[in-house]
Amino acid sequence: DTEVTQTPKHLVMGMTNKKSLKCEQHMGHRAMYWYKQKAKKPPELMFVYSYEKLSINESVPSRFSPECPNSSLLNLHLHALQPEDSALYLCASSPRTSGSTDTQYFGPGTRLTVL
Amino acid sequence: GQSLEQPSEVTAVEGAIVQINCTYQTSGFYGLSWYQQHDGGAPTFLSYNALDGLEETGRFSSFLSRSDSYGYLLLQELQMKDSASYFCAVNTGGFKTIFGAGTRLFVKA
């Protein structure tokens, strides 16, 4: 299984809603990532988990809350988002743990619209 | 600051060869990756260079010169399905990857 899956594919939410994005991989990868991508822009790193521990938080607002319940799952909890948070949210995983090299495998993304 | 520079757009005809360049200026460097992304899709990994030289994978090749902070992706025998955005990305260490702004490749018949 060389796939990263993400649910839901699309999400529309109001600014007062609470929702969660889910990501799953069964490749035995021990590093997992959340990226945000706006249209016609590159992916921007948000969070990295290594061995289920938060390794990188790129100064992301607290309305985004990541969680890594186990080595296969990664969640992104959303609360009180703003319309400018509308974007494609990509999950990725990589097999190496040293951080020196990483081939990242991306999921299909969740397209989020905040009204 | 940290920056990766790549052309915004490249146009080529089917069957031709195209080269997409990437120059980088980063605080750390462990390797240069290339990703392809079709509209509406997710980035997919194409190649990775940690050391100077050329890496070849089928129709795609990637080159790195660490002394020049420069790399390129070479696509041969272009096909219509190669029309996509191509991102160079630098691993700066500690799991951190910085992506270039992307190059949109248009392949014409």
Side-chain angles (χ1 to χ4, degrees), chain A residues 31 33 35 37 40-43 45 48 50 55-56 58 88 90 96-97 99-104 106-108 111, chain B residues 30-31 33 35 37 39-45 48 50 87 91-97 99-102 104:
Chain A
Y33 310 72
Y35 286 88
Q37 187 177 28
K40 301 190 189 305
K41 297 290 187 184
L45 185 63
V48 181
S50 170
S55 177
I56 294 177
E58 288 289 273
L88 180 69
L90 293 161
R96 295 184 181 269
T97 57
S100 60
T101 63
D102 63 333
T103 297
Q104 295 184 37
F106 284 83
R111 191 159 298 282
Chain B
Y30 284 88
S33 301
Y35 289 85
Q37 186 175 29
D39 286 347
T44 56
F45 171 79
Y48 177 82
F87 295 94
N91 184 313
T92 60
F95 299 103
K96 187 164 181 176
T97 300
F99 284 76
R104 283 190 66 88

mmCIF file of all heavy atoms in Angstrom, chain A residues 31 33 35 37 40-43 45 48 50 55-56 58 88 90 96-97 99-104 106-108 111, chain B residues 30-31 33 35 37 39-45 48 50 87 91-97 99-102 104:
data_model
loop_
_atom_site.group_PDB
_atom_site.id
_atom_site.type_symbol
_atom_site.label_atom_id
_atom_site.label_comp_id
_atom_site.label_asym_id
_atom_site.label_seq_id
_atom_site.Cartn_x
_atom_site.Cartn_y
_atom_site.Cartn_z
ATOM 1 N N ALA A 31 7.256 9.877 9.671
ATOM 2 C CA ALA A 31 7.140 11.333 9.611
ATOM 3 C C ALA A 31 5.885 11.668 8.815
ATOM 4 O O ALA A 31 5.655 11.111 7.738
ATOM 5 C CB ALA A 31 8.368 11.962 8.947
ATOM 6 N N TYR A 33 3.132 15.058 7.692
ATOM 7 C CA TYR A 33 3.162 16.502 7.474
ATOM 8 C C TYR A 33 1.767 17.033 7.140
ATOM 9 O O TYR A 33 0.970 16.344 6.494
ATOM 10 C CB TYR A 33 4.052 16.846 6.274
ATOM 11 C CG TYR A 33 5.428 16.220 6.258
ATOM 12 C CD1 TYR A 33 5.603 14.861 6.011
ATOM 13 C CD2 TYR A 33 6.567 17.006 6.446
ATOM 14 C CE1 TYR A 33 6.865 14.302 5.978
ATOM 15 C CE2 TYR A 33 7.836 16.449 6.403
ATOM 16 C CZ TYR A 33 7.973 15.094 6.169
ATOM 17 O OH TYR A 33 9.230 14.543 6.133
ATOM 18 N N TYR A 35 0.365 20.410 5.030
ATOM 19 C CA TYR A 35 0.670 21.571 4.204
ATOM 20 C C TYR A 35 -0.628 22.293 3.872
ATOM 21 O O TYR A 35 -1.689 21.680 3.760
ATOM 22 C CB TYR A 35 1.314 21.152 2.876
ATOM 23 C CG TYR A 35 2.739 20.682 2.937
ATOM 24 C CD1 TYR A 35 3.036 19.344 3.187
ATOM 25 C CD2 TYR A 35 3.791 21.560 2.722
ATOM 26 C CE1 TYR A 35 4.347 18.901 3.219
ATOM 27 C CE2 TYR A 35 5.116 21.130 2.741
ATOM 28 C CZ TYR A 35 5.381 19.802 2.996
ATOM 29 O OH TYR A 35 6.684 19.365 3.023
ATOM 30 N N GLN A 37 -2.101 24.786 0.761
ATOM 31 C CA GLN A 37 -1.779 25.257 -0.575
ATOM 32 C C GLN A 37 -2.916 26.116 -1.117
ATOM 33 O O GLN A 37 -4.050 25.644 -1.266
ATOM 34 C CB GLN A 37 -1.505 24.081 -1.526
ATOM 35 C CG GLN A 37 -1.008 24.536 -2.896
ATOM 36 C CD GLN A 37 -0.660 23.387 -3.823
ATOM 37 O OE1 GLN A 37 -1.215 22.300 -3.720
ATOM 38 N NE2 GLN A 37 0.272 23.623 -4.747
ATOM 39 N N LYS A 40 -2.562 28.191 -7.318
ATOM 40 C CA LYS A 40 -1.415 28.643 -8.089
ATOM 41 C C LYS A 40 -0.219 29.042 -7.211
ATOM 42 O O LYS A 40 0.629 29.839 -7.620
ATOM 43 C CB LYS A 40 -1.787 29.811 -9.017
ATOM 44 C CG LYS A 40 -2.880 29.459 -10.012
ATOM 45 C CD LYS A 40 -3.051 30.542 -11.059
ATOM 46 C CE LYS A 40 -4.272 30.329 -11.932
ATOM 47 N NZ LYS A 40 -4.321 29.021 -12.587
ATOM 48 N N LYS A 41 -0.162 28.480 -6.013
ATOM 49 C CA LYS A 41 0.954 28.729 -5.092
ATOM 50 C C LYS A 41 1.559 27.398 -4.691
ATOM 51 O O LYS A 41 0.934 26.351 -4.844
ATOM 52 C CB LYS A 41 0.456 29.469 -3.842
ATOM 53 C CG LYS A 41 -0.112 30.851 -4.109
ATOM 54 C CD LYS A 41 0.976 31.818 -4.511
ATOM 55 C CE LYS A 41 0.442 33.224 -4.611
ATOM 56 N NZ LYS A 41 1.492 34.155 -5.108
ATOM 57 N N PRO A 42 2.781 27.417 -4.156
ATOM 58 C CA PRO A 42 3.370 26.156 -3.699
ATOM 59 C C PRO A 42 2.789 25.724 -2.359
ATOM 60 O O PRO A 42 2.207 26.546 -1.635
ATOM 61 C CB PRO A 42 4.853 26.510 -3.547
ATOM 62 C CG PRO A 42 4.862 27.974 -3.278
ATOM 63 C CD PRO A 42 3.708 28.547 -4.043
ATOM 64 N N PRO A 43 2.961 24.463 -2.015
ATOM 65 C CA PRO A 43 2.551 24.012 -0.671
ATOM 66 C C PRO A 43 3.384 24.739 0.395
ATOM 67 O O PRO A 43 4.588 24.939 0.229
ATOM 68 C CB PRO A 43 2.870 22.520 -0.685
ATOM 69 C CG PRO A 43 2.963 22.141 -2.123
ATOM 70 C CD PRO A 43 3.465 23.347 -2.826
ATOM 71 N N LEU A 45 4.469 24.516 4.365
ATOM 72 C CA LEU A 45 4.515 23.606 5.502
ATOM 73 C C LEU A 45 3.834 24.217 6.716
ATOM 74 O O LEU A 45 4.053 25.393 7.049
ATOM 75 C CB LEU A 45 5.975 23.288 5.831
ATOM 76 C CG LEU A 45 6.215 22.254 6.916
ATOM 77 C CD1 LEU A 45 5.669 20.886 6.509
ATOM 78 C CD2 LEU A 45 7.703 22.168 7.244
ATOM 79 N N VAL A 48 4.884 19.226 11.255
ATOM 80 C CA VAL A 48 5.525 17.939 11.001
ATOM 81 C C VAL A 48 5.496 17.127 12.288
ATOM 82 O O VAL A 48 5.820 17.656 13.366
ATOM 83 C CB VAL A 48 6.995 18.082 10.546
ATOM 84 C CG1 VAL A 48 7.594 16.701 10.274
ATOM 85 C CG2 VAL A 48 7.103 18.961 9.318
ATOM 86 N N SER A 50 7.064 13.567 13.942
ATOM 87 C CA SER A 50 8.034 12.498 13.820
ATOM 88 C C SER A 50 7.846 11.563 14.997
ATOM 89 O O SER A 50 7.901 12.010 16.151
ATOM 90 C CB SER A 50 9.456 13.074 13.819
ATOM 91 O OG SER A 50 10.409 12.037 13.925
ATOM 92 N N SER A 55 7.187 17.886 15.677
ATOM 93 C CA SER A 55 8.573 18.249 15.421
ATOM 94 C C SER A 55 8.704 19.681 14.910
ATOM 95 O O SER A 55 9.657 20.378 15.236
ATOM 96 C CB SER A 55 9.166 17.276 14.399
ATOM 97 O OG SER A 55 10.478 17.623 14.058
ATOM 98 N N ILE A 56 7.753 20.096 14.098
ATOM 99 C CA ILE A 56 7.786 21.438 13.526
ATOM 100 C C ILE A 56 6.385 22.041 13.587
ATOM 101 O O ILE A 56 5.404 21.386 13.240
ATOM 102 C CB ILE A 56 8.266 21.428 12.052
ATOM 103 C CG1 ILE A 56 9.722 20.997 11.955
ATOM 104 C CG2 ILE A 56 8.074 22.804 11.416
ATOM 105 C CD1 ILE A 56 10.238 20.903 10.527
ATOM 106 N N GLU A 58 5.112 25.640 12.129
ATOM 107 C CA GLU A 58 5.584 26.811 11.407
ATOM 108 C C GLU A 58 4.775 28.055 11.779
ATOM 109 O O GLU A 58 4.211 28.735 10.916
ATOM 110 C CB GLU A 58 5.531 26.571 9.898
ATOM 111 C CG GLU A 58 6.582 25.612 9.385
ATOM 112 C CD GLU A 58 7.973 26.211 9.419
ATOM 113 O OE1 GLU A 58 8.377 26.874 8.453
ATOM 114 O OE2 GLU A 58 8.672 26.000 10.439
ATOM 115 N N LEU A 88 -6.411 24.310 -0.169
ATOM 116 C CA LEU A 88 -6.250 22.861 -0.245
ATOM 117 C C LEU A 88 -5.302 22.456 0.880
ATOM 118 O O LEU A 88 -4.194 22.999 0.977
ATOM 119 C CB LEU A 88 -5.674 22.459 -1.600
ATOM 120 C CG LEU A 88 -5.447 20.964 -1.850
ATOM 121 C CD1 LEU A 88 -6.785 20.228 -1.952
ATOM 122 C CD2 LEU A 88 -4.636 20.756 -3.136
ATOM 123 N N LEU A 90 -3.076 19.605 2.389
ATOM 124 C CA LEU A 90 -2.414 18.386 1.959
ATOM 125 C C LEU A 90 -1.721 17.709 3.134
ATOM 126 O O LEU A 90 -1.054 18.360 3.935
ATOM 127 C CB LEU A 90 -1.353 18.706 0.892
ATOM 128 C CG LEU A 90 -1.858 19.224 -0.450
ATOM 129 C CD1 LEU A 90 -0.747 19.925 -1.209
ATOM 130 C CD2 LEU A 90 -2.434 18.092 -1.284
ATOM 131 N N ARG A 96 11.752 8.297 6.033
ATOM 132 C CA ARG A 96 12.964 8.413 6.831
ATOM 133 C C ARG A 96 12.715 9.190 8.103
ATOM 134 O O ARG A 96 11.859 10.034 8.173
ATOM 135 C CB ARG A 96 14.062 9.076 6.012
ATOM 136 C CG ARG A 96 14.492 8.223 4.839
ATOM 137 C CD ARG A 96 15.649 8.862 4.101
ATOM 138 N NE ARG A 96 16.047 8.052 2.961
ATOM 139 C CZ ARG A 96 16.975 7.117 3.036
ATOM 140 N NH1 ARG A 96 17.589 6.873 4.161
ATOM 141 N NH2 ARG A 96 17.297 6.417 1.964
ATOM 142 N N THR A 97 13.499 8.955 9.074
ATOM 143 C CA THR A 97 13.330 9.633 10.355
ATOM 144 C C THR A 97 14.484 10.552 10.674
ATOM 145 O O THR A 97 14.432 11.322 11.600
ATOM 146 C CB THR A 97 13.196 8.622 11.494
ATOM 147 O OG1 THR A 97 14.351 7.774 11.497
ATOM 148 C CG2 THR A 97 11.952 7.776 11.304
ATOM 149 N N GLY A 99 15.603 13.009 8.936
ATOM 150 C CA GLY A 99 15.338 14.373 8.492
ATOM 151 C C GLY A 99 16.297 14.843 7.437
ATOM 152 O O GLY A 99 16.148 15.925 6.909
ATOM 153 N N SER A 100 17.287 14.027 7.095
ATOM 154 C CA SER A 100 18.279 14.491 6.127
ATOM 155 C C SER A 100 17.810 14.278 4.696
ATOM 156 O O SER A 100 18.191 15.015 3.814
ATOM 157 C CB SER A 100 19.603 13.776 6.337
ATOM 158 O OG SER A 100 19.432 12.386 6.174
ATOM 159 N N THR A 101 17.043 13.275 4.464
ATOM 160 C CA THR A 101 16.484 13.074 3.127
ATOM 161 C C THR A 101 15.029 12.677 3.318
ATOM 162 O O THR A 101 14.691 11.998 4.275
ATOM 163 C CB THR A 101 17.202 11.961 2.352
ATOM 164 O OG1 THR A 101 17.022 10.723 3.031
ATOM 165 C CG2 THR A 101 18.662 12.265 2.189
ATOM 166 N N ASP A 102 14.188 13.078 2.430
ATOM 167 C CA ASP A 102 12.796 12.668 2.553
ATOM 168 C C ASP A 102 12.093 12.731 1.217
ATOM 169 O O ASP A 102 12.029 13.772 0.587
ATOM 170 C CB ASP A 102 12.038 13.514 3.576
ATOM 171 C CG ASP A 102 11.945 14.969 3.190
ATOM 172 O OD1 ASP A 102 12.826 15.439 2.464
ATOM 173 O OD2 ASP A 102 10.984 15.621 3.602
ATOM 174 N N THR A 103 11.609 11.591 0.797
ATOM 175 C CA THR A 103 10.693 11.571 -0.332
ATOM 176 C C THR A 103 9.309 11.627 0.263
ATOM 177 O O THR A 103 8.928 10.727 1.024
ATOM 178 C CB THR A 103 10.870 10.279 -1.145
ATOM 179 O OG1 THR A 103 12.182 10.254 -1.693
ATOM 180 C CG2 THR A 103 9.839 10.221 -2.255
ATOM 181 N N GLN A 104 8.586 12.652 -0.038
ATOM 182 C CA GLN A 104 7.276 12.821 0.573
ATOM 183 C C GLN A 104 6.183 12.309 -0.341
ATOM 184 O O GLN A 104 6.171 12.591 -1.535
ATOM 185 C CB GLN A 104 7.045 14.291 0.930
ATOM 186 C CG GLN A 104 8.015 14.750 2.009
ATOM 187 C CD GLN A 104 7.767 16.159 2.477
ATOM 188 O OE1 GLN A 104 6.628 16.595 2.590
ATOM 189 N NE2 GLN A 104 8.838 16.883 2.760
ATOM 190 N N PHE A 106 2.274 12.431 -0.977
ATOM 191 C CA PHE A 106 1.154 13.312 -0.657
ATOM 192 C C PHE A 106 -0.186 12.600 -0.839
ATOM 193 O O PHE A 106 -0.363 11.778 -1.750
ATOM 194 C CB PHE A 106 1.159 14.543 -1.567
ATOM 195 C CG PHE A 106 2.198 15.564 -1.188
ATOM 196 C CD1 PHE A 106 3.509 15.438 -1.609
ATOM 197 C CD2 PHE A 106 1.856 16.658 -0.400
ATOM 198 C CE1 PHE A 106 4.468 16.380 -1.248
ATOM 199 C CE2 PHE A 106 2.809 17.608 -0.048
ATOM 200 C CZ PHE A 106 4.106 17.467 -0.476
ATOM 201 N N GLY A 107 -1.118 12.948 0.033
ATOM 202 C CA GLY A 107 -2.494 12.557 -0.159
ATOM 203 C C GLY A 107 -3.170 13.480 -1.155
ATOM 204 O O GLY A 107 -2.580 14.485 -1.575
ATOM 205 N N PRO A 108 -4.413 13.175 -1.529
ATOM 206 C CA PRO A 108 -5.114 13.972 -2.541
ATOM 207 C C PRO A 108 -5.569 15.337 -2.038
ATOM 208 O O PRO A 108 -5.925 16.197 -2.839
ATOM 209 C CB PRO A 108 -6.319 13.103 -2.905
ATOM 210 C CG PRO A 108 -6.548 12.257 -1.705
ATOM 211 C CD PRO A 108 -5.209 12.012 -1.107
ATOM 212 N N ARG A 111 -10.145 19.991 0.100
ATOM 213 C CA ARG A 111 -10.384 21.377 -0.334
ATOM 214 C C ARG A 111 -11.353 22.022 0.641
ATOM 215 O O ARG A 111 -12.512 21.617 0.734
ATOM 216 C CB ARG A 111 -10.959 21.403 -1.751
ATOM 217 C CG ARG A 111 -10.966 22.811 -2.343
ATOM 218 C CD ARG A 111 -11.028 22.830 -3.852
ATOM 219 N NE ARG A 111 -9.884 22.205 -4.505
ATOM 220 C CZ ARG A 111 -8.697 22.770 -4.649
ATOM 221 N NH1 ARG A 111 -8.473 23.968 -4.159
ATOM 222 N NH2 ARG A 111 -7.732 22.135 -5.284
ATOM 223 N N TYR B 30 20.046 19.780 2.364
ATOM 224 C CA TYR B 30 20.282 18.342 2.403
ATOM 225 C C TYR B 30 19.961 17.684 1.069
ATOM 226 O O TYR B 30 20.408 16.571 0.803
ATOM 227 C CB TYR B 30 19.466 17.687 3.516
ATOM 228 C CG TYR B 30 20.045 17.917 4.881
ATOM 229 C CD1 TYR B 30 19.706 19.050 5.621
ATOM 230 C CD2 TYR B 30 20.949 17.017 5.424
ATOM 231 C CE1 TYR B 30 20.256 19.267 6.866
ATOM 232 C CE2 TYR B 30 21.505 17.223 6.675
ATOM 233 C CZ TYR B 30 21.151 18.363 7.383
ATOM 234 O OH TYR B 30 21.702 18.570 8.622
ATOM 235 N N GLY B 31 19.165 18.346 0.247
ATOM 236 C CA GLY B 31 18.852 17.768 -1.044
ATOM 237 C C GLY B 31 17.808 18.572 -1.783
ATOM 238 O O GLY B 31 17.099 19.402 -1.192
ATOM 239 N N SER B 33 14.569 18.231 -4.375
ATOM 240 C CA SER B 33 13.542 17.330 -4.909
ATOM 241 C C SER B 33 12.756 18.042 -5.997
ATOM 242 O O SER B 33 12.708 19.279 -6.055
ATOM 243 C CB SER B 33 12.565 16.907 -3.804
ATOM 244 O OG SER B 33 13.208 16.249 -2.755
ATOM 245 N N TYR B 35 8.779 17.836 -7.752
ATOM 246 C CA TYR B 35 7.429 17.303 -7.660
ATOM 247 C C TYR B 35 6.622 17.799 -8.848
ATOM 248 O O TYR B 35 6.794 18.922 -9.316
ATOM 249 C CB TYR B 35 6.747 17.740 -6.357
ATOM 250 C CG TYR B 35 7.316 17.081 -5.120
ATOM 251 C CD1 TYR B 35 8.430 17.606 -4.481
ATOM 252 C CD2 TYR B 35 6.727 15.936 -4.594
ATOM 253 C CE1 TYR B 35 8.955 17.002 -3.350
ATOM 254 C CE2 TYR B 35 7.246 15.325 -3.465
ATOM 255 C CZ TYR B 35 8.356 15.868 -2.844
ATOM 256 O OH TYR B 35 8.878 15.254 -1.723
ATOM 257 N N GLN B 37 2.646 18.417 -10.197
ATOM 258 C CA GLN B 37 1.268 18.561 -9.713
ATOM 259 C C GLN B 37 0.365 18.958 -10.869
ATOM 260 O O GLN B 37 0.523 20.026 -11.458
ATOM 261 C CB GLN B 37 1.171 19.594 -8.588
ATOM 262 C CG GLN B 37 -0.207 19.673 -7.947
ATOM 263 C CD GLN B 37 -0.261 20.629 -6.750
ATOM 264 O OE1 GLN B 37 0.495 21.598 -6.701
ATOM 265 N NE2 GLN B 37 -1.137 20.362 -5.796
ATOM 266 N N ASP B 39 -3.380 20.070 -12.275
ATOM 267 C CA ASP B 39 -4.457 20.899 -11.734
ATOM 268 C C ASP B 39 -5.463 20.029 -10.990
ATOM 269 O O ASP B 39 -5.950 19.031 -11.530
ATOM 270 C CB ASP B 39 -5.173 21.653 -12.870
ATOM 271 C CG ASP B 39 -4.334 22.801 -13.399
ATOM 272 O OD1 ASP B 39 -3.336 23.165 -12.746
ATOM 273 O OD2 ASP B 39 -4.683 23.331 -14.472
ATOM 274 N N GLY B 40 -5.766 20.427 -9.762
ATOM 275 C CA GLY B 40 -6.739 19.688 -8.967
ATOM 276 C C GLY B 40 -6.176 18.448 -8.301
ATOM 277 O O GLY B 40 -6.888 17.761 -7.571
ATOM 278 N N GLY B 41 -4.897 18.160 -8.536
ATOM 279 C CA GLY B 41 -4.302 16.959 -7.960
ATOM 280 C C GLY B 41 -3.315 17.269 -6.865
ATOM 281 O O GLY B 41 -3.111 18.427 -6.499
ATOM 282 N N ALA B 42 -2.704 16.236 -6.343
ATOM 283 C CA ALA B 42 -1.703 16.375 -5.297
ATOM 284 C C ALA B 42 -0.303 16.319 -5.904
ATOM 285 O O ALA B 42 -0.112 15.747 -6.979
ATOM 286 C CB ALA B 42 -1.861 15.254 -4.272
ATOM 287 N N PRO B 43 0.673 16.911 -5.250
ATOM 288 C CA PRO B 43 2.052 16.781 -5.735
ATOM 289 C C PRO B 43 2.497 15.327 -5.717
ATOM 290 O O PRO B 43 2.192 14.591 -4.774
ATOM 291 C CB PRO B 43 2.856 17.608 -4.731
ATOM 292 C CG PRO B 43 1.865 18.522 -4.089
ATOM 293 C CD PRO B 43 0.583 17.771 -4.058
ATOM 294 N N THR B 44 3.206 14.916 -6.756
ATOM 295 C CA THR B 44 3.786 13.577 -6.777
ATOM 296 C C THR B 44 5.290 13.702 -6.977
ATOM 297 O O THR B 44 5.758 14.517 -7.777
ATOM 298 C CB THR B 44 3.187 12.698 -7.881
ATOM 299 O OG1 THR B 44 3.344 13.357 -9.141
ATOM 300 C CG2 THR B 44 1.721 12.433 -7.648
ATOM 301 N N PHE B 45 6.012 12.887 -6.256
ATOM 302 C CA PHE B 45 7.465 12.934 -6.256
ATOM 303 C C PHE B 45 8.012 12.472 -7.602
ATOM 304 O O PHE B 45 7.546 11.480 -8.171
ATOM 305 C CB PHE B 45 7.995 12.033 -5.142
ATOM 306 C CG PHE B 45 9.486 11.829 -5.178
ATOM 307 C CD1 PHE B 45 10.337 12.806 -4.690
ATOM 308 C CD2 PHE B 45 10.022 10.677 -5.701
ATOM 309 C CE1 PHE B 45 11.709 12.622 -4.716
ATOM 310 C CE2 PHE B 45 11.393 10.479 -5.742
ATOM 311 C CZ PHE B 45 12.232 11.452 -5.241
ATOM 312 N N TYR B 48 15.078 13.123 -6.716
ATOM 313 C CA TYR B 48 15.777 13.713 -5.583
ATOM 314 C C TYR B 48 17.279 13.670 -5.838
ATOM 315 O O TYR B 48 17.798 12.639 -6.263
ATOM 316 C CB TYR B 48 15.444 12.935 -4.307
ATOM 317 C CG TYR B 48 16.162 13.420 -3.077
ATOM 318 C CD1 TYR B 48 15.679 14.518 -2.376
ATOM 319 C CD2 TYR B 48 17.310 12.789 -2.612
ATOM 320 C CE1 TYR B 48 16.331 14.969 -1.241
ATOM 321 C CE2 TYR B 48 17.964 13.233 -1.479
ATOM 322 C CZ TYR B 48 17.464 14.319 -0.793
ATOM 323 O OH TYR B 48 18.106 14.766 0.324
ATOM 324 N N ALA B 50 20.837 14.552 -3.778
ATOM 325 C CA ALA B 50 21.553 15.007 -2.587
ATOM 326 C C ALA B 50 22.999 15.367 -2.939
ATOM 327 O O ALA B 50 23.612 16.218 -2.284
ATOM 328 C CB ALA B 50 21.541 13.935 -1.508
ATOM 329 N N PHE B 87 7.443 21.682 -9.223
ATOM 330 C CA PHE B 87 8.020 22.398 -8.094
ATOM 331 C C PHE B 87 9.381 21.817 -7.756
ATOM 332 O O PHE B 87 9.520 20.595 -7.631
ATOM 333 C CB PHE B 87 7.138 22.265 -6.852
ATOM 334 C CG PHE B 87 5.786 22.902 -6.968
ATOM 335 C CD1 PHE B 87 4.684 22.168 -7.360
ATOM 336 C CD2 PHE B 87 5.613 24.251 -6.673
ATOM 337 C CE1 PHE B 87 3.425 22.755 -7.458
ATOM 338 C CE2 PHE B 87 4.365 24.848 -6.766
ATOM 339 C CZ PHE B 87 3.270 24.095 -7.165
ATOM 340 N N ASN B 91 15.222 20.377 0.919
ATOM 341 C CA ASN B 91 15.165 19.895 2.297
ATOM 342 C C ASN B 91 16.248 20.627 3.072
ATOM 343 O O ASN B 91 17.433 20.445 2.808
ATOM 344 C CB ASN B 91 15.397 18.383 2.324
ATOM 345 C CG ASN B 91 15.264 17.805 3.715
ATOM 346 O OD1 ASN B 91 15.814 18.348 4.666
ATOM 347 N ND2 ASN B 91 14.532 16.721 3.830
ATOM 348 N N THR B 92 15.828 21.469 3.998
ATOM 349 C CA THR B 92 16.800 22.285 4.735
ATOM 350 C C THR B 92 17.240 21.619 6.039
ATOM 351 O O THR B 92 18.002 22.197 6.800
ATOM 352 C CB THR B 92 16.230 23.679 5.025
ATOM 353 O OG1 THR B 92 15.042 23.535 5.819
ATOM 354 C CG2 THR B 92 15.880 24.413 3.748
ATOM 355 N N GLY B 93 16.729 20.396 6.281
ATOM 356 C CA GLY B 93 17.109 19.676 7.492
ATOM 357 C C GLY B 93 15.969 19.643 8.493
ATOM 358 O O GLY B 93 15.110 20.511 8.492
ATOM 359 N N GLY B 94 15.970 18.638 9.345
ATOM 360 C CA GLY B 94 14.956 18.543 10.382
ATOM 361 C C GLY B 94 13.549 18.450 9.852
ATOM 362 O O GLY B 94 12.624 19.015 10.423
ATOM 363 N N PHE B 95 13.388 17.737 8.738
ATOM 364 C CA PHE B 95 12.079 17.503 8.118
ATOM 365 C C PHE B 95 11.496 18.720 7.415
ATOM 366 O O PHE B 95 10.381 18.663 6.918
ATOM 367 C CB PHE B 95 11.039 17.020 9.149
ATOM 368 C CG PHE B 95 11.406 15.731 9.808
ATOM 369 C CD1 PHE B 95 11.901 15.720 11.096
ATOM 370 C CD2 PHE B 95 11.276 14.538 9.139
ATOM 371 C CE1 PHE B 95 12.266 14.542 11.713
ATOM 372 C CE2 PHE B 95 11.634 13.346 9.746
ATOM 373 C CZ PHE B 95 12.129 13.355 11.036
ATOM 374 N N LYS B 96 12.225 19.827 7.400
ATOM 375 C CA LYS B 96 11.646 21.013 6.801
ATOM 376 C C LYS B 96 11.942 21.059 5.300
ATOM 377 O O LYS B 96 13.095 20.940 4.875
ATOM 378 C CB LYS B 96 12.206 22.266 7.462
ATOM 379 C CG LYS B 96 11.522 23.536 7.014
ATOM 380 C CD LYS B 96 11.840 24.675 7.954
ATOM 381 C CE LYS B 96 11.122 25.926 7.496
ATOM 382 N NZ LYS B 96 11.325 27.047 8.423
ATOM 383 N N THR B 97 10.903 21.235 4.498
ATOM 384 C CA THR B 97 11.030 21.336 3.048
ATOM 385 C C THR B 97 10.441 22.650 2.597
ATOM 386 O O THR B 97 9.332 23.005 2.980
ATOM 387 C CB THR B 97 10.303 20.178 2.347
ATOM 388 O OG1 THR B 97 10.880 18.935 2.765
ATOM 389 C CG2 THR B 97 10.438 20.288 0.834
ATOM 390 N N PHE B 99 9.370 24.814 -0.769
ATOM 391 C CA PHE B 99 9.041 24.649 -2.177
ATOM 392 C C PHE B 99 9.268 25.953 -2.944
ATOM 393 O O PHE B 99 9.007 27.050 -2.436
ATOM 394 C CB PHE B 99 7.569 24.248 -2.330
ATOM 395 C CG PHE B 99 7.292 22.805 -1.995
ATOM 396 C CD1 PHE B 99 7.245 22.385 -0.673
ATOM 397 C CD2 PHE B 99 7.085 21.875 -2.998
ATOM 398 C CE1 PHE B 99 6.993 21.055 -0.350
ATOM 399 C CE2 PHE B 99 6.826 20.550 -2.693
ATOM 400 C CZ PHE B 99 6.783 20.140 -1.369
ATOM 401 N N GLY B 100 9.713 25.818 -4.190
ATOM 402 C CA GLY B 100 9.724 26.955 -5.091
ATOM 403 C C GLY B 100 8.311 27.296 -5.511
ATOM 404 O O GLY B 100 7.367 26.561 -5.214
ATOM 405 N N ALA B 101 8.164 28.410 -6.208
ATOM 406 C CA ALA B 101 6.827 28.896 -6.584
ATOM 407 C C ALA B 101 6.179 28.041 -7.656
ATOM 408 O O ALA B 101 4.971 28.130 -7.862
ATOM 409 C CB ALA B 101 6.917 30.349 -7.040
ATOM 410 N N GLY B 102 6.956 27.217 -8.325
ATOM 411 C CA GLY B 102 6.395 26.322 -9.321
ATOM 412 C C GLY B 102 6.533 26.850 -10.737
ATOM 413 O O GLY B 102 6.518 28.070 -10.971
ATOM 414 N N ARG B 104 4.782 26.312 -14.461
ATOM 415 C CA ARG B 104 3.688 25.698 -15.224
ATOM 416 C C ARG B 104 4.223 25.328 -16.593
ATOM 417 O O ARG B 104 4.706 26.188 -17.344
ATOM 418 C CB ARG B 104 2.504 26.647 -15.341
ATOM 419 C CG ARG B 104 1.684 26.735 -14.076
ATOM 420 C CD ARG B 104 0.388 27.500 -14.301
ATOM 421 N NE ARG B 104 -0.531 26.830 -15.195
ATOM 422 C CZ ARG B 104 -1.435 25.936 -14.813
ATOM 423 N NH1 ARG B 104 -1.510 25.583 -13.538
ATOM 424 N NH2 ARG B 104 -2.263 25.392 -15.680
#
